[in-house]
Amino acid sequence: MRLMNAAHNEVSQQQPLVQCLTNSVVTNITANVLLAAGAQPAMCDTPEESFDFAQVASGVLINAGTPSQQQYAGMREAIRGAREAGTPWVLDPVAAGSLRHRTEFILSILQEKPTAIRGNASEVMAIAGMGAGGHGVESTDEVEAAVPAAKKLAESTGAVVAVSGPRDLIVSDGRVTWLRSGHPMLQSVIGTGCSLGALTAAYLGAARGSYLTSDLGWEINDHTATLAAHAHSGAAAQLAMSGEIGPVPKAPGSFAQAWLDALYLITEAQIEQFIDVEEA
Amino acid sequence: MRLMNAAHNEVSQQQPLVQCLTNSVVTNITANVLLAAGAQPAMCDTPEESFDFAQVASGVLINAGTPSQQQYAGMREAIRGAREAGTPWVLDPVAAGSLRHRTEFILSILQEKPTAIRGNASEVMAIAGMGAGGHGVESTDEVEAAVPAAKKLAESTGAVVAVSGPRDLIVSDGRVTWLRSGHPMLQSVIGTGCSLGALTAAYLGAARGSYLTSDLGWEINDHTATLAAHAHSGAAAQLAMSGEIGPVPKAPGSFAQAWLDALYLITEAQIEQFIDVEEA
Amino acid sequence: MRLMNAAHNEVSQQQPLVQCLTNSVVTNITANVLLAAGAQPAMCDTPEESFDFAQVASGVLINAGTPSQQQYAGMREAIRGAREAGTPWVLDPVAAGSLRHRTEFILSILQEKPTAIRGNASEVMAIAGMGAGGHGVESTDEVEAAVPAAKKLAESTGAVVAVSGPRDLIVSDGRVTWLRSGHPMLQSVIGTGCSLGALTAAYLGAARGSYLTSDLGWEINDHTATLAAHAHSGAAAQLAMSGEIGPVPKAPGSFAQAWLDALYLITEAQIEQFIDVEEA
């Protein structure tokens, strides 16, 4: 918990610049989530600029939600730039398994060593070659069913693999962590999951930077950074629903606003209070 | 009213998957409206994926608001997929009549038998060949003036034609319905009309599915489903402004949030209470 | 102040139609800001439609935030249409100086006589050839440091040059105005600056139209219109934080909503009360 707090603190201190190549539905909320968490968003995704930008960014998000050929080209450039510069990058394999065309693209970039992969159970099982594929963007599988796929994927790619659901599963080589946080209302607001991918890139970027700035920095590895990003997002949902920062939201419109507020207002002590972490 | 209630209920029960090929300005609110109403959004609009997706979707929305050549190609694929699979699809002819290029595109897909057409008076008159065209995206004609155009269009295309305005007009072969609902504040929030097109696709999809799930299902025809979608959206605006679910909004920022909340919270009894339906 | 009030009044009276060619992250908030301020948004940006639309629009915004080749082509068409029809247009040189590709594009359209240029200090210094370039989208320079660049740019292009920051700087040939308004919370919501570019286009369009409609109209020049747009946006942030229109926002989610409300509710007397204008 001490390290998760340190990771949270590094994001506010360093204000990591996160390059998001993401789907057009969630650009706005993704940028606002990053700002609320203290990071800086940049939605730079063209083929012409993505390589250069990934070299100055602290972290890169590749979200395959509305994939055009042009954005695919931008994604390949961003990944190339990220790898050359050692910038951590996160893959969000939206709807992998349910649509052939994007699944092929996602599998092709999976070879490029993402730092972390964040998806739902169906998506993770699909790209691990162990699932039947989801129906659209909703998971049709339980998180628990994705444990073998997450382990296999972590081993084959070297990535931290995060599976979102009622309990989040974070897997990396040799470590399996369960995180209980969040609130079902998150499912009723578009982009809360996609934004978590961006927030993970922010935490990974800040954790890398922490080697230079903090005594604890060298201990905040990618697994811990990914876990801390999920805890921040999930605990903010709980804080939003707690009534502590305003009226308790009864519906998605007011919840979306309260969640953004909570991402900004939440303290490390409140995150600790709301979440439950279990190492398996 | 019993059938409109049944249509509303089917949406929550079936959670129809709605494929939206829509303009970039409103993707976010459209997705949130669908989620609030109990449907599942998927903004799948590329040429590569749109055909396949339209075959698994419950309903498809084609909104011509920010038309790129690539999205046009995606729209043609989605329509082809929808027709092959019998998926209902909704045409929203944004700014038809005022811009030559998109008007030509809209007229070309009008031949493809949309299940419903939703627009303002100027747009409907333009695509029926009976209007001078609007100025940008705002209607310059009264709903009442669009009755002949809506009837002509319903007859020539077989679609349910819905004209939005202070009173909504729903026309299908042999049936003309006036719906009084909504609130002027809806005009001050971008995407409330475009979202209604998506909601109509959700209701049409759920109504089709209701043949399998409900005793009343076979009676919920496309006209009733379209009417029920309009009633849901309009009554939610009235509920938002009523003070029953929170402070009365005085301006568009708080209204937008309250309307989303109301779409989620509204009951069938409340819809009945707020709207006024008249068969002409 | 009398002229700024007149400019504000012209926007509500004329409801200027503003064509926005802007980045995908901020289309939604930009449209909602224009609606809240009484203007009409139209996000028409394709190469096929942009020329025609710029001829009927009251004002045009060119925001280089997420530049695709296709949008570049649309922007060139819109500028051509605007110049042919005498429509005022605003250039927002997002991240100029920090990315070579877009900087070249921005410099190329700078020759096309924008009516106004709105950016942060780093961007304005970069396109004036007097800066080192920013880091992503955040300014790394103080507004005060941009005075010589703004003057040079105003002289070489004939545009009104507006530099956003803790104090806004408005420069045109022979006039330098400082505006104190706004609130730091604006930095925590994506698109508040980009929306200000669109609002400036609305004010410029309404001011041009005012020659026909108002006794004061001929006195509302482009400098005053640009200043009034900045005052409207900044004072709305102060009104939002004042507690006069609802609870004082503590975080960006509730602030974003309150700012939109304030843009709609604010009176000319309130703008006067909140801002401080100094001619240098």
Side-chain angles (χ1 to χ4, degrees):
Chain A
M1 198 59 81
R2 188 182 52 114
L3 288 175
M4 288 172 65
N5 287 348
H8 182 258
N9 186 52
E10 289 294 337
V11 172
S12 1
Q13 293 304 311
Q14 295 183 44
Q15 308 188 325
L17 177 63
V18 182
Q19 179 184 10
C20 301
L21 298 92
T22 190
N23 70 78
S24 57
V25 192
V26 302
T27 45
N28 191 270
I29 189 174
T30 301
N32 277 327
V33 164
L34 289 171
L35 285 172
Q40 288 182 65
M43 269 56 188
C44 180
D45 69 354
T46 61
E48 293 82 8
E49 296 184 342
S50 291
F51 175 82
D52 287 352
F53 206 95
Q55 300 207 314
V56 299
S58 307
V60 174
L61 169 69
I62 303 290
N63 171 305
T66 54
S68 66
Q69 292 302 320
Q70 202 213 3
Q71 208 191 37
Y72 278 175
M75 287 173 173
R76 292 195 192 278
E77 286 299 300
I79 293 168
R80 194 168 63 85
R83 293 192 70 179
E84 224 177 271
T87 310
W89 69 279
V90 176
L91 171 64
D92 189 335
V94 180
S98 69
L99 290 161
R100 190 184 51 78
H101 186 264
R102 79 171 68 180
T103 305
E104 283 170 11
F105 173 74
I106 290 166
L107 291 177
S108 78
I109 59 172
L110 198 58
Q111 315 304 321
E112 304 281 344
K113 301 275 172 208
T115 314
I117 299 166
R118 187 216 74 85
N120 64 35
S122 295
E123 291 158 355
V124 167
M125 289 163 76
I127 62 176
M130 298 171 76
H135 174 58
V137 294
E138 294 302 309
S139 183
T140 51
D141 297 285
E142 302 293 325
V143 176
E144 286 70 18
V147 175
K151 284 183 175 172
K152 181 182 165 189
L153 206 52
E155 196 177 330
S156 65
T157 63
V160 180
V161 178
V163 186
S164 300
R167 284 198 304 165
D168 296 329
L169 168 70
I170 318 282
V171 175
S172 60
D173 191 28
R175 187 169 166 201
V176 175
T177 310
W178 289 94
L179 169 69
R180 192 179 295 277
S181 73
H183 189 277
M185 195 65 91
L186 285 166
Q187 305 297 319
S188 299
V189 177
I190 203 73
T192 51
C194 294
S195 300
L196 177 52
L199 196 60
T200 302
Y203 269 80
L204 289 167
R208 298 284 174 101
S210 71
Y211 288 68
L212 303 171
T213 61
S214 152
D215 282 356
L216 283 170
W218 61 273
E219 294 184 67
I220 309 174
N221 60 23
D222 294 342
H223 188 107
T224 300
T226 301
L227 178 61
H230 283 66
H232 187 170
S233 173
Q238 292 165 281
L239 178 58
M241 294 301 288
S242 72
E244 288 179 41
I245 60 167
V248 176
K250 289 174 294 186
S254 40
F255 171 73
Q257 180 195 294
W259 181 61
L260 267 180
D261 281 353
L263 283 165
Y264 178 89
L265 294 170
I266 202 163
T267 61
E268 285 146 27
Q270 285 173 316
I271 295 176
E272 266 194 69
Q273 168 199 335
F274 283 119
I275 68 171
D276 184 53
V277 178
E278 189 188 338
E279 302 287 338
Chain B
M1 198 59 81
R2 187 183 52 113
L3 289 174
M4 288 171 64
N5 287 348
H8 182 257
N9 186 50
E10 289 293 337
V11 172
S12 1
Q13 293 304 310
Q14 294 183 45
Q15 308 188 324
L17 177 63
V18 182
Q19 179 184 9
C20 301
L21 298 92
T22 191
N23 70 77
S24 58
V25 191
V26 303
T27 45
N28 190 270
I29 188 173
T30 301
N32 277 326
V33 164
L34 289 172
L35 285 171
Q40 287 182 66
M43 269 55 187
C44 181
D45 70 353
T46 61
E48 293 82 9
E49 297 184 340
S50 290
F51 175 82
D52 288 352
F53 206 95
Q55 299 208 314
V56 300
S58 306
V60 174
L61 168 69
I62 304 290
N63 172 304
T66 53
S68 66
Q69 292 303 318
Q70 202 215 3
Q71 208 190 36
Y72 278 174
M75 287 174 174
R76 292 195 192 279
E77 286 299 299
I79 294 168
R80 194 167 64 86
R83 293 193 70 179
E84 225 178 270
T87 310
W89 71 279
V90 176
L91 172 63
D92 190 335
V94 180
S98 70
L99 290 161
R100 190 184 52 78
H101 186 263
R102 80 170 67 180
T103 305
E104 283 170 11
F105 173 74
I106 291 167
L107 291 176
S108 78
I109 61 172
L110 198 57
Q111 316 303 320
E112 304 282 345
K113 301 276 172 209
T115 315
I117 299 167
R118 189 215 74 84
N120 64 36
S122 295
E123 291 157 356
V124 167
M125 289 164 75
I127 62 176
M130 298 172 76
H135 174 59
V137 296
E138 294 301 307
S139 185
T140 53
D141 297 286
E142 301 294 325
V143 176
E144 286 70 16
V147 174
K151 284 183 176 173
K152 181 181 166 190
L153 206 53
E155 197 177 328
S156 65
T157 63
V160 180
V161 179
V163 186
S164 300
R167 285 198 303 164
D168 296 329
L169 169 69
I170 317 282
V171 175
S172 60
D173 191 27
R175 188 171 166 200
V176 175
T177 310
W178 289 95
L179 169 69
R180 193 179 294 279
S181 73
H183 190 278
M185 196 65 92
L186 285 166
Q187 306 297 318
S188 299
V189 177
I190 202 74
T192 51
C194 294
S195 301
L196 176 52
L199 195 61
T200 302
Y203 269 80
L204 288 168
R208 300 283 174 98
S210 71
Y211 289 67
L212 302 171
T213 60
S214 152
D215 282 355
L216 284 170
W218 61 274
E219 294 185 67
I220 310 174
N221 61 24
D222 294 343
H223 188 108
T224 301
T226 301
L227 178 60
H230 283 67
H232 187 169
S233 171
Q238 292 164 281
L239 178 58
M241 293 301 288
S242 71
E244 287 179 40
I245 61 167
V248 176
K250 291 174 292 185
S254 41
F255 172 74
Q257 179 195 294
W259 181 61
L260 268 179
D261 281 353
L263 283 164
Y264 177 88
L265 293 170
I266 202 163
T267 63
E268 285 147 27
Q270 286 173 314
I271 294 176
E272 266 194 68
Q273 168 200 334
F274 283 119
I275 68 170
D276 183 53
V277 178
E278 191 188 337
E279 302 287 339
Chain C
M1 198 59 81
R2 189 183 50 113
L3 289 174
M4 288 172 64
N5 287 347
H8 183 257
N9 186 51
E10 289 294 336
V11 172
S12 1
Q13 294 303 310
Q14 296 183 46
Q15 307 188 324
L17 177 62
V18 182
Q19 179 185 8
C20 301
L21 299 93
T22 190
N23 71 78
S24 58
V25 192
V26 303
T27 46
N28 191 271
I29 189 173
T30 301
N32 278 327
V33 164
L34 289 171
L35 286 171
Q40 288 181 65
M43 268 56 188
C44 181
D45 70 353
T46 62
E48 293 82 9
E49 297 184 341
S50 291
F51 175 82
D52 287 353
F53 207 95
Q55 299 208 314
V56 300
S58 306
V60 174
L61 168 69
I62 304 290
N63 172 305
T66 54
S68 66
Q69 292 303 317
Q70 202 214 4
Q71 210 191 35
Y72 277 175
M75 286 175 173
R76 292 193 191 280
E77 287 299 299
I79 293 168
R80 195 168 63 85
R83 294 193 68 179
E84 224 177 271
T87 311
W89 70 279
V90 176
L91 171 63
D92 189 336
V94 180
S98 71
L99 291 161
R100 189 184 51 78
H101 187 263
R102 79 170 69 181
T103 305
E104 283 169 11
F105 173 74
I106 290 167
L107 290 177
S108 77
I109 60 173
L110 198 58
Q111 316 303 320
E112 304 281 344
K113 301 277 173 208
T115 314
I117 299 166
R118 189 216 73 84
N120 64 35
S122 296
E123 291 158 355
V124 168
M125 289 163 76
I127 63 176
M130 298 170 75
H135 174 57
V137 296
E138 294 301 308
S139 183
T140 52
D141 297 286
E142 302 294 323
V143 176
E144 287 70 16
V147 175
K151 283 182 175 174
K152 180 182 166 191
L153 206 52
E155 197 177 330
S156 64
T157 63
V160 179
V161 179
V163 186
S164 300
R167 285 197 303 165
D168 296 329
L169 168 69
I170 317 283
V171 175
S172 61
D173 191 28
R175 188 171 165 200
V176 175
T177 311
W178 289 95
L179 169 68
R180 192 179 294 280
S181 73
H183 190 278
M185 195 66 92
L186 285 166
Q187 305 297 320
S188 299
V189 177
I190 201 74
T192 51
C194 294
S195 301
L196 176 53
L199 196 61
T200 302
Y203 269 80
L204 289 168
R208 299 282 174 99
S210 72
Y211 289 68
L212 303 170
T213 60
S214 152
D215 283 354
L216 284 171
W218 61 273
E219 295 184 69
I220 309 174
N221 60 24
D222 293 343
H223 188 107
T224 301
T226 301
L227 178 60
H230 283 67
H232 187 170
S233 172
Q238 292 165 280
L239 178 58
M241 293 302 288
S242 72
E244 288 179 39
I245 60 167
V248 176
K250 290 174 293 186
S254 41
F255 171 74
Q257 179 195 294
W259 181 61
L260 267 179
D261 280 353
L263 283 165
Y264 177 89
L265 294 170
I266 202 163
T267 63
E268 285 146 27
Q270 286 172 315
I271 295 177
E272 266 193 68
Q273 169 201 333
F274 284 119
I275 69 171
D276 183 54
V277 178
E278 190 189 337
E279 301 287 338

